[in-house]
Amino acid sequence: MMASLRRFRRARRAAPALIVATAAFAACSDSLGLPTNYTNSDQAYIVYALSGTDVNAPSGMLFASKTMVRVDGAFQFDIAFDINKDGNAVVLPVNQV
């Protein structure tokens, strides 16, 4: 009885590691064999915080045109950027602005 309980506890501890290893392996392989249509590239943008900056400064991003835009009541942006009281960057979707 005690030996089977110990085996169960060891297996239960190993389960999260097994799940993480399986996910990492699956993420690194091309299991579907589909060709890629786009290449990745780095883009540099200048964006300002919603609070404490000029209202005309770009504080949002519009994904379709890949541009930084002004955040206003027209909601012509996909995400907005702000800085919280701890100084960390915060990304806000439209429904939270």
Side-chain angles (χ1 to χ4, degrees), residues 62-84:
L62 186 61
F63 293 140
S65 61
K66 299 179 186 173
T67 57
M68 296 297 117
V69 295
R70 190 176 146 233
V71 174
D72 58 16
F75 299 105
Q76 296 296 315
F77 62 94
D78 294 310
I79 56 173
F81 301 93
D82 202 5
I83 304 292
N84 65 11

Side-chain angles (χ1 to χ4, degrees), residues 47-51 80-92:
V47 66
Y48 298 88
L50 277 172
S51 53
F81 301 93
D82 202 5
I83 304 292
N84 65 11
K85 63 179 180 170
D86 297 326
N88 298 318
V90 179
V91 178
L92 302 165

Side-chain angles (χ1 to χ4, degrees), residues 4-51:
S4 63
L5 183 60
R6 278 191 219 122
R7 263 186 274 138
F8 174 74
R9 286 184 180 162
R10 267 186 268 153
R12 197 173 82 187
R13 277 190 239 130
L18 181 61
I19 291 170
V20 169
T22 303
F25 178 73
C28 293
S29 66
D30 186 11
S31 59
L32 299 176
L34 299 174
T36 58
N37 295 328
Y38 304 101
T39 58
N40 291 335
S41 64
D42 292 330
Q43 301 290 323
Y45 297 102
I46 295 175
V47 66
Y48 298 88
L50 277 172
S51 53

